Structures are given as C-alpha cells and as structure tokens.
Amino acid sequence: MGSRDADPSLGYLTRKETEVKLPRPTRVKNKTPAPIQITAEQILREARERQEAEIRPPKQKITDPTELADYRLRKRKEFEALISRVRWNKSVWVKYAKWEESQKDFKRARSIWERALEVDYRDHTMWLKYADVEMKNKFVNHARNVWDRAVTLLPRVDQLWYKYIHMEEMLGNVAGARQIFERWMGWTPDQQGWLSYIKFELRYNEIERARAIFERFVQCHPKVSAWIRFAKFEMKNGEIGRARNCYERAVDKLADDEEAEQLFVAFAEFEEKCKETERARCIYKFALDHIPKGRAEDLYRKFVAFEKQYGDREGIEDAIVGKRRFQYEDEVRKNPRNYDTWFDYIRLEESVGNKERIREVYERAIANVPPAEEKRYWQRYIYLWINYALYEELDAEDMERTRDVYRECLKLIPHQKFSFAKIWLLAAQFEIRQLRLKEARLLLGEAIGRAPKDKIFKKYIEIELHFGNIDRCRKLYEKYLEWSPENCYAWSKFAELERSLYETDRARAIFELAIDQPALDMPELLWKAYIDFEISEGEFGRTRALYERLLNRTKHLKVWISYAKFEASAMDPEAEEDIELKKNCLQRARDVFERAVSYFRNSAPELKEERAMLLEEWLNMESGFAELGDVSLVRAKLPKKLKKRRQIDMEDGPAAYEEYIDYLFPEETQTTNLKILEAAYKWKKQRVASEED
C-alpha cells in the first residue's frame, strides 16, 4: 500500500507524509484588555537583560620565538587548508597575503599574491591591491614590475594606467609617466584618457606637446565635444586664430553630425566673445539653413537671444520668424497632412517675402496628397493649390507658373470620382484676365465634358451672356438640361433668357417642355415662374388653363389660394375702375374658393386646419373688396376652435398627454345634434317597452 502511494517526485514519500500541518489558530475567548498593560519597550528591555554574555576567545600573549613560530605555523596551515577548500575565493587570498605582510615576511606575501594571480589574472582589483602593497612598503621596482605586467595583460582597464602614471608622477619620473601615457594612447582609449594626458602636459607647461596631443585626440575621436575642447584650449592660451581654425575644421568635417548644433552654438559664442557679431550672425544663419529643424531648438533660442542683444529691428524680426518657422517645421514633421499648419506656415513665409522659400513651402505642402480618393479628405487640401496659383498670379506675377499650377492641379484631381468646380472656374477666369478667351472656353468645355456641375454651367453661361453670345448660351442651356433635366432652376433661367430676348413662343415652349418632365426637383417654383410669365404677358386665359392643369396634378392649399387671388386680380390695369369687371373677378374668385371648400369637405375631411386657413383667406379677400364683398357669406362657414387633449405613447414610462386645437365646422355641429336626439329617442323607446313588460 505504501509503495503504491509513493511519489518519485517527492523522494518516494507519500502525499500524507509531505503535508505540512499548520498549528490550529487559538481562539481568544476573553477579549477584554488585561489589567496590567505591557509596552513594547518593556519587552525589549527585558529581552536584553536576559541575554547571555557573548563568548569571546581568550587573548593570547606570545612570549618567546618558539611560541611565535608555532603561532605562524598554525595560522599558515589554517590559511592553506582554507585555500585548498575555496581556491576561487579572492578574499581568502587577500587576507592570507595581508597577514604575511603584517608578519613582515614580504617574500611569502609576494608569493601568495602571485599564486592568487595564477588563479584569476583578469581580476584587476587583485593587481591594484598587489601593487598597493608594494608601494606602501616602498618596493618601487617591484611595484613598477607589477604595474607593467598589469597594463600589459589588461590594457583596457583605465584604472591600472591611471595608478601606474600617478605612481611615476609622484616619484618625479615625468619622462617615465609620459612614456606610459604614450603606451596607453597606442590602445586608443576613451576621451577621458586623452584629456588626462593633456592635463598632465599642461601641469608642466608643455603647451606645444598638449597641442600635438589635441591634434591626435581629434583624429582618434572626431566628435563635436573633442573639437570644442581643442578650440577652448587654444582660446585659453590666447590663440584666437588657431581657435577659429579649429572651429572651421570642425564645421568642414562635422556639419552633418547629429551633435552639429552644439558645434555651431559654441562657434557663434566664440565669435561673440571676440566681438565679431557679424561673423556670429552668419554662423547662426548658416546653421539654421543646414541643420534639420527637429534638432535645432537650442540653436533657435540662442539666435533669438543674440539678435535681441546685438541686432536691429529687422534682425530681431528675422530671428522671431525663424523661431516660428522651427515650430511649424516641427508640427508638419509630426503630421505632414495637417493642412491648417501648412496654411499658417505659408502665411508666415509670405509675410517675410522670400519668393524661393515661399515656393519651396508651397511645393512641400502640395506634395502631401490625401491618402484616399474621397472628397472630404481633399476639401482642405485643394485650397493649397488655389492659394499657390493666386500667389503666383498676384504676388509673384509669373503667369506661366500660374498656368502650370492650375494645369497640374487639374491633372491630380480624380475627376472620375469627384471634382471641384472652383478650380475649373478659377483657371478659366485666369485665362480671361489674360485675354485668352479661347483657352478659357476650352477649359470650361473640358470641365463640362469631364465633371459637369451646376456652378460650371451657370458661370459659363454668365460669361457667354456677358460677351453677348446668345447662341452659345442656348447651346449651353441645352447641354445643361440634357445633363440635369430635373433642374427647375435651369428651365426657368432658360425661359427667362428667351423672354428677355422677346422670344415669347420659345419661352412658352421651354416652360411646356419643363412641366412635362417626369421628375423635377422643385416643381412649385417652375409652375410659379410659368404662371407669372403668362400673367406678365396678359394671357389670363392661358393662366387660368395653367391653374386648372396644376390642380389636376395637386390640390395643395397654396395652389387654391394662389388661383383665387389670381382670379380676384385678373383684370387690365386700365379697367380697374370698372365695377362690373370687379364683380366678375370677385365671382370667379368665389367659385374657386367654393370648389376648394367642397374638395376639403368631401375629399379630404381630415385636413381641417387647411380648410380653416382657406376660409380665413376667403374672409380677408371679401373684406378687401369693401362694399362689393360679402363677409357674412364666409362667416357662416367658419369653424369653432376647440382645445382638446390626446394621449401620446411613450417608449419608456407612462403615457403623456398633449393639447391640440381641433376645428368644429357648422355641418358637423348639426350632425352631432341629430345623433344626440336619435340616442335619446332610442333610450325612451326602450324604457317604455320595459314598463309594459
């Protein structure tokens, strides 16, 4: 049973045997506080008092050489035994060697250090401690030997070189220290090693040697910081020409370096210290033109401060513009399709007035074509092209470039999916301003062929009408209506053109064609224009026929009112004083109103509000005819206004009620009274029958 339950992963023990049994938590029955409270301080003090005294080995006093020899032998055996067990432990070797040193047995100590280095010679701390022991006990040659071996085996550990050189310098062996430095420089150390060598030479006033080392230093480490240190060294020694030469050489070699900003700033500050403000300004401007904007933030700040200190008003403004230019460059670098930033950037450059820079910014801006061929992405972008063309025409006055801008823009737009009428019209208007009417017509014709739009047709017709080309206008209207036969605006404008030319029959034919179209976008405007046209021509019979045709199509309230008002005023202006004619007009208007009221009462009884409005208009008309009118005729038909409530079904929550105005017409009142009488008679009849039973 036990062997079956044994688990190999648990060392062939059973699960039950490996379970850790935790003591059951004791339950505190009495939770009231004890009468005597003990603080933590009392507990700690009591624990310290009860602590047993530390057992220390007794001090041993050596009185004769024999005891000393025994003590040394015992200690050496202990150290050797420890080393044989933990040979890799460096602290044991260090303790052993230091113990031998304390016994003044330097040969044995040296032997132990050598044995330790055989274990791991790559540990530079062992070399440092070994050499430190030799120096401390004034074994100079031994120490020199140790340092020499250390730097030979570990030439990349700078600390060994520093310690070696420091020892030679402390001994006054300057030539030896210089020789060690030269050995070290052969290994091309980091900048700090070269700078230590230079400082060493400067401590002994060896300026030429330091300069030669600097030359080697900038060749080994061609970095901005190295050249700046070299230039500052020359400046400190009063060699302004040499310092400037250093900066110029650095600019030649490191103008495209990532840290070039620091170099230009240091160069400009150097010229500023030398009172060469023009040189400093030129350096700043050269740097701003060559360094990418994203890395020139500190440079801009320094340039603005410099201009504020030394520059005139123009220079300060130029510096501020440069700072703003940097901000815009940073923004367009982060998001090149933020067209609002490009507009601001272009406006800034236009305020400065540098043509080449303005064109460069425009070209960079229009190069950021929207990613998708959807009009909403292009609506802001297209204004970059428009502004570019207007700048070339109005400010730069370069007409060929303007024409090229319009041409390239029209090539870029995907006219199969969408187009911009504004661009076509601006390009055509530009050609007209250049007295190139043929090219403008070609552009507008191409626009109609590739991307017809209302704006293009309207503007093209307006241009041709302005030049008096009536036949072209007619052809354009025909094209317009072929493209958009439902456009009421085009039909009415075409008819208006013919009427202005006193071509009444043509205008009437156009209106007839228009109202016969199966679909129209705003038919009410077209019918109104046709009716107004016939009224203005004095053709009242035709107008009346038009109203009848319109009523066959729609019986809208406004049509009835308009028809009635027409009949009320359908007379010649010269015969306005004729009473009989006025009576005839009034009677015809009443007939129209009667027909309208009859339609709303019988065919559309639910349109009570429209019927009430119609009667109001009729009443106003009767009042307008003064003594000829009969107001009582209409008042008998007027409804009563009733305020009622009706229930509104709500999606969530209880139903609500709203008030509304209802109209009760006279014939409905009579019907209601009859229904009440009928119900009362029926009730009476039922009651009499029940009494008889």
Side-chain angles (χ1 to χ4, degrees), residues 104-164:
K104 303 297 181 186
D105 196 343
F106 296 111
K107 286 186 178 180
R108 284 181 181 275
R110 204 170 282 124
S111 172
I112 292 158
W113 283 115
E114 294 291 342
R115 287 167 63 196
L117 289 172
E118 285 178 5
V119 174
D120 185 12
Y121 73 90
R122 288 185 297 275
D123 185 5
H124 68 281
T125 56
M126 297 295 287
W127 290 101
L128 290 171
K129 289 174 181 176
Y130 185 10
D132 192 47
V133 168
E134 297 289 9
M135 288 193 297
K136 190 167 66 176
N137 293 290
K138 299 182 181 179
F139 296 115
V140 176
N141 286 331
H142 280 288
R144 194 173 279 139
N145 183 28
V146 171
W147 287 125
D148 196 75
R149 289 163 58 203
V151 298
T152 304
L153 292 170
L154 303 172
R156 293 295 176 192
V157 181
D158 294 346
Q159 194 176 2
L160 297 174
W161 292 102
Y162 284 126
K163 290 279 188 179
Y164 191 8

Side-chain angles (χ1 to χ4, degrees), residues 169-191:
E169 196 173 357
M170 293 297 290
L171 293 171
N173 186 10
V174 177
R178 187 175 288 120
Q179 191 176 0
I180 296 162
F181 264 123
E182 286 295 334
R183 281 178 63 191
W184 188 14
M185 295 306 112
W187 288 97
T188 61
D190 59 5
Q191 290 194 22

Side-chain angles (χ1 to χ4, degrees), residues 521-572:
D521 55 0
M522 289 186 290
E524 66 278 5
L525 295 180
L526 187 63
W527 280 94
K528 186 178 182 304
Y530 194 4
I531 289 166
D532 290 344
F533 163 74
E534 293 293 3
I535 292 171
S536 65
E537 294 294 323
E539 297 285 348
F540 297 135
R542 287 179 181 275
T543 308
R544 204 167 281 119
L546 270 177
Y547 270 117
E548 292 298 334
R549 288 166 67 189
L550 181 55
L551 284 171
N552 289 333
R553 296 195 182 196
T554 176
K555 290 184 171 56
H556 195 272
L557 172 67
K558 288 185 178 180
V559 177
W560 287 110
I561 293 171
S562 176
Y563 190 9
K565 284 182 177 179
F566 158 72
E567 290 292 5
S569 61
M571 65 182 81
D572 292 327

Side-chain angles (χ1 to χ4, degrees), residues 388-405:
Y388 190 11
L390 293 175
Y391 166 76
E392 291 291 354
E393 182 185 359
L394 302 176
D395 294 346
E397 297 181 357
D398 190 338
M399 303 310 158
E400 282 303 319
R401 281 185 75 97
T402 309
R403 195 168 286 114
D404 291 341
V405 170

